Amino acid sequence: MQPLVVSHPLAQCHLTEMRNASTPSHRFRRHLNLLGRMLFLEATRELSVDAIRVQTPLQETDGVTLARPMVLVPILRAGLGLLDGILSLVPDASVAHVGIKRNEETALPQPYYANLPPVITEADVFLLDPMLATGGSAVEAVRQLKAAGAKHVTMLCVVSCPQGIATLSKAHPDVRIVTAAIDDSLNDCRYIVPGLGDAGDRYFGTL
Ligand code: PRP
Ligand code: URA
């Protein structure tokens, strides 16, 4: 499955502000929140809905409702930056959590927390993380989601790169990737270049 790259000009303006090393945390947060909403709107364009009838104040008419429950899963920490904006669009969604920290020397994912509700087995699941670098964290997160019974998983990330996409697609070919950018590559420290730096540190102001 090819990743969906959200090329909307407004999305690319938010991304550019986030890439800028001079953008302070409070503005980085705002741009991530808004860009997250845009990625989510594109990711849900083909979402399954059921037809229903609704009674307006004047008469009955056709409407739709989501066919499946929805679960949003931010990968802690940086994934939290995408959560609030998306939740404002789907206030009935459940929020599950997966905590994974990349080892700073090996870049291997170190899982440290998970809270996945039973509804995940029948839900449309959206995994949220601004960065898809080596892909190790995403592969581990999807492994946990599937072990909990998830069947319909979409990964939303702001910046991705060919290595991360290849690794995630190989491990989980059924997972759709929606991103604002596919950058050139990883540097020697396995950071995405040009990228935007350390998303969690920039978002939380812990640089
Ligand atoms: C970052 C990012 C992803 C991961 C991507 O998180 O938010 O979760 O690295 O790298 P990968 O694709 O090579 O696994 P980090 O581990 O720095 O944790 P943080 O969000 O707590 O800062
Ligand atoms: N994590 C980040 O926050 N940024 C990268 O470029 C790679 C991993």
Side-chain angles (χ1 to χ4, degrees):
M1 210 182 315
Q2 288 300 312
L4 171 64
V5 180
V6 177
S7 58
H8 192 293
L10 294 179
Q12 294 304 314
C13 287
H14 289 302
L15 173 58
T16 303
E17 294 281 355
M18 291 178 67
R19 287 193 193 277
N20 188 338
S22 317
T23 299
S25 284
H26 69 276
R27 286 187 50 219
F28 187 91
R29 290 180 192 133
R30 181 82 185 133
H31 291 296
L32 181 56
N33 178 298
L34 293 169
L35 180 50
R37 289 188 217 190
M38 300 186 72
L39 294 177
F40 184 72
L41 284 175
E42 290 297 332
T44 50
R45 201 174 267 283
E46 310 287 332
L47 202 61
S48 300
V49 290
D50 288 333
I52 57 167
R53 295 285 291 169
V54 63
Q55 177 70 50
T56 79
L58 301 179
Q59 68 173 66
E60 207 177 84
T61 187
D62 291 329
V64 294
T65 186
L66 292 185
R68 291 192 278 262
M70 187 175 288
V71 177
L72 308 177
V73 190
I75 301 181
L76 308 178
R77 291 178 303 168
L80 288 173
L82 288 160
L83 181 64
D84 283 353
I86 294 173
L87 207 45
S88 70
L89 295 171
V90 283
D92 290 336
S94 304
V95 181
H97 294 86
V98 173
I100 300 174
K101 175 74 190 152
R102 205 169 80 138
N103 181 295
E104 284 178 13
E105 263 128 51
T106 63
L108 293 173
Q110 298 177 320
Y112 59 85
Y113 181 76
N115 186 324
L116 303 173
V119 69
I120 211 160
T121 57
E122 52 185 298
D124 284 308
V125 178
F126 292 87
L127 184 61
L128 314 178
D129 196 325
M131 310 306 281
L132 180 63
T134 66
S137 302
V139 168
E140 168 58 20
V142 176
R143 187 196 66 73
Q144 292 188 22
L145 297 178
K146 288 185 174 174
K151 296 181 212 55
H152 313 281
V153 181
T154 299
M155 165 99 203
L156 259 59
C157 55
V158 171
V159 182
S160 62
C161 64
Q163 294 93 324
I165 291 169
T167 299
L168 179 57
S169 303
K170 185 166 178 219
H172 302 291
D174 55 311
V175 171
R176 198 161 59 108
I177 300 170
V178 179
T179 184
I182 302 176
D183 275 10
D184 296 341
S185 61
L186 298 173
N187 67 11
D188 291 346
C189 301
R190 282 161 284 200
Y191 271 74
I192 299 175
V193 283
L196 50 75
D198 188 309
D201 281 343
R202 293 194 66 191
Y203 183 84
F204 288 106
T206 50
L207 283 165

Short mmCIF file of all heavy atoms in Angstrom, two decimals, residues 75-78 100-102 129 131-137 198 200, ligand 1:
data_model
loop_
_atom_site.label_atom_id
_atom_site.label_comp_id
_atom_site.label_asym_id
_atom_site.label_seq_id
_atom_site.Cartn_x
_atom_site.Cartn_y
_atom_site.Cartn_z
N ILE A 75 1.45 7.48 20.37
CA ILE A 75 2.66 6.86 20.93
C ILE A 75 3.31 7.92 21.82
O ILE A 75 3.69 9.01 21.34
CB ILE A 75 3.65 6.41 19.83
CG1 ILE A 75 2.98 5.39 18.89
CG2 ILE A 75 4.90 5.81 20.46
CD1 ILE A 75 3.90 4.86 17.78
N LEU A 76 3.40 7.62 23.12
CA LEU A 76 4.01 8.57 24.07
C LEU A 76 5.51 8.69 23.77
O LEU A 76 6.13 7.67 23.43
CB LEU A 76 3.81 8.07 25.50
CG LEU A 76 2.35 7.71 25.87
CD1 LEU A 76 2.30 7.18 27.30
CD2 LEU A 76 1.45 8.92 25.71
N ARG A 77 6.03 9.90 23.92
CA ARG A 77 5.34 11.12 24.28
C ARG A 77 4.78 11.91 23.10
O ARG A 77 3.72 12.51 23.16
CB ARG A 77 6.35 12.10 24.92
CG ARG A 77 6.92 11.83 26.22
CD ARG A 77 7.92 12.92 26.61
NE ARG A 77 9.00 13.08 25.65
CZ ARG A 77 9.86 14.10 25.64
NH1 ARG A 77 9.74 15.09 26.52
NH2 ARG A 77 10.83 14.17 24.77
N ALA A 78 5.58 12.01 22.01
CA ALA A 78 5.30 13.02 21.01
C ALA A 78 3.94 12.86 20.34
O ALA A 78 3.35 13.84 19.89
CB ALA A 78 6.41 13.04 19.96
N ILE A 100 6.48 4.22 24.14
CA ILE A 100 7.70 3.63 23.56
C ILE A 100 8.77 4.71 23.52
O ILE A 100 8.51 5.82 23.04
CB ILE A 100 7.46 3.11 22.13
CG1 ILE A 100 6.37 2.03 22.13
CG2 ILE A 100 8.75 2.55 21.53
CD1 ILE A 100 5.96 1.55 20.74
N LYS A 101 9.95 4.39 24.02
CA LYS A 101 11.07 5.33 23.97
C LYS A 101 12.17 4.72 23.12
O LYS A 101 12.56 3.58 23.34
CB LYS A 101 11.58 5.59 25.39
CG LYS A 101 12.80 6.47 25.48
CD LYS A 101 12.46 7.92 25.20
CE LYS A 101 13.72 8.76 25.05
NZ LYS A 101 13.52 9.92 24.17
N ARG A 102 12.64 5.47 22.14
CA ARG A 102 13.74 5.00 21.30
C ARG A 102 15.03 5.09 22.10
O ARG A 102 15.35 6.14 22.65
CB ARG A 102 13.80 5.90 20.07
CG ARG A 102 14.42 5.27 18.86
CD ARG A 102 14.16 6.15 17.66
NE ARG A 102 15.08 7.26 17.58
CZ ARG A 102 15.65 7.67 16.46
NH1 ARG A 102 15.40 7.05 15.32
NH2 ARG A 102 16.44 8.70 16.43
N ASP A 129 1.80 9.52 15.70
CA ASP A 129 3.19 9.85 16.07
C ASP A 129 3.72 10.83 15.03
O ASP A 129 3.62 10.55 13.84
CB ASP A 129 4.05 8.58 16.10
CG ASP A 129 5.37 8.80 16.85
OD1 ASP A 129 5.94 9.91 16.76
OD2 ASP A 129 5.83 7.85 17.51
N MET A 131 6.68 11.37 14.05
CA MET A 131 7.87 10.95 13.31
C MET A 131 7.87 9.45 13.02
O MET A 131 7.64 8.63 13.90
CB MET A 131 9.14 11.29 14.11
CG MET A 131 9.22 12.70 14.63
SD MET A 131 9.02 13.97 13.36
CE MET A 131 10.62 13.99 12.60
N LEU A 132 8.15 9.10 11.75
CA LEU A 132 8.38 7.70 11.37
C LEU A 132 9.81 7.65 10.83
O LEU A 132 10.05 7.96 9.67
CB LEU A 132 7.37 7.29 10.30
CG LEU A 132 7.46 5.86 9.78
CD1 LEU A 132 7.19 4.83 10.89
CD2 LEU A 132 6.48 5.64 8.63
N ALA A 133 10.76 7.30 11.70
CA ALA A 133 12.19 7.39 11.34
C ALA A 133 12.69 6.01 10.90
O ALA A 133 12.55 5.63 9.74
CB ALA A 133 12.97 7.98 12.50
N THR A 134 13.27 5.23 11.82
CA THR A 134 13.66 3.87 11.44
C THR A 134 12.43 2.99 11.26
O THR A 134 12.49 1.94 10.61
CB THR A 134 14.54 3.20 12.53
OG1 THR A 134 13.73 3.01 13.70
CG2 THR A 134 15.76 4.04 12.87
N GLY A 135 11.33 3.40 11.90
CA GLY A 135 10.10 2.59 11.85
C GLY A 135 9.99 1.63 13.02
O GLY A 135 8.95 1.00 13.21
N GLY A 136 11.05 1.55 13.83
CA GLY A 136 11.05 0.59 14.94
C GLY A 136 9.91 0.82 15.92
O GLY A 136 9.24 -0.13 16.35
N SER A 137 9.68 2.08 16.29
CA SER A 137 8.63 2.37 17.27
C SER A 137 7.25 2.03 16.70
O SER A 137 6.40 1.45 17.39
CB SER A 137 8.67 3.86 17.67
OG SER A 137 9.93 4.19 18.19
N ASP A 198 13.96 16.71 17.10
CA ASP A 198 13.32 15.80 18.05
C ASP A 198 11.93 16.33 18.37
O ASP A 198 11.77 17.32 19.08
CB ASP A 198 14.17 15.70 19.32
CG ASP A 198 13.66 14.61 20.25
OD1 ASP A 198 12.44 14.60 20.55
OD2 ASP A 198 14.45 13.75 20.66
N GLY A 200 9.38 15.26 20.19
CA GLY A 200 8.94 15.27 21.59
C GLY A 200 9.58 16.42 22.35
O GLY A 200 8.91 17.15 23.08
C1 PRP B 1 10.42 9.60 18.62
C2 PRP B 1 9.17 9.74 17.76
C3 PRP B 1 8.82 8.31 17.46
C4 PRP B 1 10.18 7.67 17.32
C5 PRP B 1 10.52 7.54 15.87
O1 PRP B 1 10.08 9.32 19.90
O2 PRP B 1 8.15 10.46 18.40
O3 PRP B 1 8.08 7.68 18.49
O4 PRP B 1 11.12 8.54 17.97
O5 PRP B 1 11.71 6.88 15.71
P1 PRP B 1 11.82 5.42 15.06
O6 PRP B 1 10.92 5.41 13.86
O7 PRP B 1 13.27 5.31 14.72
O8 PRP B 1 11.40 4.42 16.09
P2 PRP B 1 11.17 9.16 21.08
O9 PRP B 1 11.56 7.73 21.21
O10 PRP B 1 12.26 10.15 20.91
O11 PRP B 1 10.33 9.46 22.39
P3 PRP B 1 9.56 10.78 22.88
O12 PRP B 1 8.34 10.90 22.03
O13 PRP B 1 9.25 10.46 24.30
O14 PRP B 1 10.46 11.98 22.74
#
